[in-house]
Amino acid sequence: MKKCPFCGTITHHNGNYCRSCRRTFDGSKSEDTTAEPPRLDLSKDEWRKPLYAAGLSFVGIGLGQFYNGETAKGVLALAGVLGFPLLLPLWTTIDPFIPVILVWTLAILDAYLSARKINRLQKAFRHKSILFWPGTACLLLIAAFILTAAAAPHVAAKSVSVAAGVVADTKYPAYAVPLYESAILLSPNDTAIRMDKVKVLHYMGRDAEARSDLTIAIATNPNDTSPLMMTGNLLYDNGEYQASINYFEKARELKPKEAAIWMRKGDAQLMIAVAEMKKMREQYKTLTTGSYNAASATAAPANVDAFQSMQSYRDAMTAYNEAIKLDPLMSVEISAHVLASAQTMVEMYNGILTDMGSPNATSTTAA
């Protein structure tokens, strides 16, 4: 290494020439910048292109630093751009967009200035970072994906949806929602992708958003039973059994031979029967005096239909029987549902008799 006596730049080649101030060490004359001394080892890899480095950092964060051989800087810039959107919302209310743009701008400026310093021998350069080519490959993959999205958006949407499904299976399913939204933008008429998003929203308890997407799915593809069934299931889980039956009935009209639809309709009607029996008991509690007589046994309150729950129960059995006809293997699951609900209804019936003081009330035990 030598130090230029004119500008103080440290040289890393064996010639008596300073690349920074373009002068020979003996001071005899300024060197022509267009005809450098042949004794200099000016291999192409020793020179960096500042604008090229800045452009690389613009299209791929940290790539310009990898081009200049500064691996640590490139990794730090990449971590900042990727980390701020994930970490800042957890600790602060700062919009991560501003720090991300700031870090990205600094990375572009740093890549440009570092390349200039390398050319002036103010900074050592040995070779490109080992992450330069992997980073370039990732950039090319992104470019290929953009071209695919433009030429075949449905294929790109499926790819994004698969990635979202992988993220949804982790501990952070919320990060899958933006991916599903991106896939939907690419293929807005793909009901399957929207349904996958609905499942994630329902899992996170965001049923209002899920219902909104289901409404769009039903309007987009009215002949698809999956959004109808999913809407019915959401209503069922929220205790809105009658509303769920309406959607199960619409699905049944589209696919009358689908056993699963008949079973879900039967489940909702069975839950209505149980809810009506519970309501009946609560109303009888407010009217009984604790003594039993024939008049009180037959005089039901005016606002309670004593046979309404039994009608709902019969409707449920009709739906269940239809489901078993279509798919006998469902009989085991249906039997479990019926036994659990029947046990509850018998307990409610005995409770009513007990509240009225009937000697016919019996205790029930689970089979």
Side-chain angles (χ1 to χ4, degrees), residues 268-281 284 304-317 341 345-346 348-349 352:
Q269 289 173 326
L270 190 60
M271 293 306 298
I272 289 176
V274 171
E276 289 170 348
M277 183 63 76
K278 290 180 179 179
K279 181 179 178 181
M280 189 185 303
R281 181 182 180 185
Y284 266 106
V304 176
D305 184 354
F307 300 100
Q308 187 174 359
S309 63
M310 296 310 299
Q311 182 59 48
S312 298
Y313 185 82
R314 284 192 291 268
D315 291 340
M317 294 305 104
S341 300
M345 293 183 70
V346 170
M348 295 299 102
Y349 174 76
I352 292 174

Side-chain angles (χ1 to χ4, degrees), residues 204-227:
M204 295 187 297
R206 295 159 60 176
D207 287 349
E209 297 176 56
R211 287 288 304 277
S212 177
D213 275 283
L214 286 170
T215 301
I216 297 173
I218 293 172
T220 302
N221 193 353
N223 294 323
D224 189 356
T225 59
S226 57

Side-chain angles (χ1 to χ4, degrees), residues 318-334:
T318 300
Y320 281 147
N321 288 333
E322 189 65 29
I324 293 173
K325 288 179 184 179
L326 295 171
D327 186 0
L329 295 178
M330 284 190 171
S331 59
V332 176
E333 184 177 356
I334 290 174

Side-chain angles (χ1 to χ4, degrees), residues 48 62-63 65-72 74-75 125 127-134:
R48 300 292 89 192
L63 198 58
Q65 281 69 30
F66 297 152
Y67 169 76
N68 289 333
E70 299 175 314
T71 303
V75 172
F125 173 78
H127 50 73
K128 296 185 183 76
S129 168
I130 58 174
L131 298 180
F132 175 75
W133 295 115

Side-chain angles (χ1 to χ4, degrees), residues 202 207 211 214 227-248 264 268:
H202 178 54
D207 287 349
R211 287 288 304 277
L214 286 170
L228 292 170
M229 291 297 294
M230 188 63 182
T231 304
N233 289 332
L234 288 180
L235 293 169
Y236 180 92
D237 291 342
N238 291 330
E240 302 176 54
Y241 304 119
Q242 187 57 57
S244 70
I245 290 176
N246 295 335
Y247 284 93
F248 294 144
R264 291 303 291 157

Side-chain angles (χ1 to χ4, degrees), residues 12-273:
H12 295 272
H13 57 79
N14 296 324
N16 295 320
Y17 177 77
C18 177
R19 295 179 185 172
S20 181
C21 65
R22 306 292 182 177
R23 302 170 72 179
T24 57
F25 289 171
D26 58 12
S28 58
K29 62 178 180 178
S30 296
E31 189 70 25
D32 184 6
T33 56
T34 60
E36 296 174 351
R39 64 177 179 271
L40 293 177
D41 181 16
L42 299 178
S43 63
K44 182 177 180 181
D45 289 340
E46 290 183 17
W47 294 90
R48 300 292 89 192
K49 299 177 181 178
L51 291 178
Y52 183 65
L56 286 174
S57 278
F58 175 76
V59 297
I61 182 66
L63 198 58
Q65 281 69 30
F66 297 152
Y67 169 76
N68 289 333
E70 299 175 314
T71 303
K73 278 187 179 181
V75 172
L76 187 62
L78 185 62
V81 169
L82 297 180
F84 280 134
L86 299 178
L87 300 179
L88 284 181
L90 299 178
W91 299 326
T92 68
T93 58
I94 299 175
D95 187 350
F97 177 78
I98 297 176
V100 165
I101 293 300
L102 180 61
V103 171
W104 205 315
T105 303
L106 291 176
I108 295 172
L109 182 61
D110 174 78
Y112 178 83
L113 295 178
S114 292
R116 288 187 60 185
K117 288 182 179 180
I118 290 172
N119 291 343
R120 294 176 177 178
L121 300 181
Q122 295 173 345
K123 180 179 290 188
F125 173 78
R126 295 179 178 85
H127 50 73
K128 296 185 183 76
S129 168
I130 58 174
L131 298 180
F132 175 75
W133 295 115
T136 302
C138 290
L139 191 63
L140 293 175
L141 287 176
I142 294 173
F145 176 80
I146 294 174
L147 293 176
T148 302
H154 182 71
V155 175
K158 286 295 185 183
S159 302
V160 176
S161 177
V162 170
V166 174
V167 175
D169 291 334
T170 66
K171 295 181 180 179
Y172 309 99
Y175 294 123
V177 175
L179 292 175
Y180 280 125
E181 291 175 348
S182 300
I184 291 172
L185 287 175
L186 292 171
S187 183
N189 294 327
D190 194 323
T191 306
I193 296 176
R194 196 176 292 274
M195 291 300 297
D196 289 337
K197 177 189 173 184
V198 167
K199 292 175 183 177
V200 175
L201 291 173
H202 178 54
Y203 174 78
M204 295 187 297
R206 295 159 60 176
D207 287 349
E209 297 176 56
R211 287 288 304 277
S212 177
D213 275 283
L214 286 170
T215 301
I216 297 173
I218 293 172
T220 302
N221 193 353
N223 294 323
D224 189 356
T225 59
S226 57
L228 292 170
M229 291 297 294
M230 188 63 182
T231 304
N233 289 332
L234 288 180
L235 293 169
Y236 180 92
D237 291 342
N238 291 330
E240 302 176 54
Y241 304 119
Q242 187 57 57
S244 70
I245 290 176
N246 295 335
Y247 284 93
F248 294 144
E249 187 62 26
K250 291 178 182 178
R252 185 197 63 79
E253 292 173 358
L254 294 173
K255 292 185 177 180
K257 301 299 183 181
E258 187 72 36
I261 298 176
W262 283 100
M263 188 186 73
R264 291 303 291 157
K265 180 182 177 183
D267 288 342
Q269 289 173 326
L270 190 60
M271 293 306 298
I272 289 176

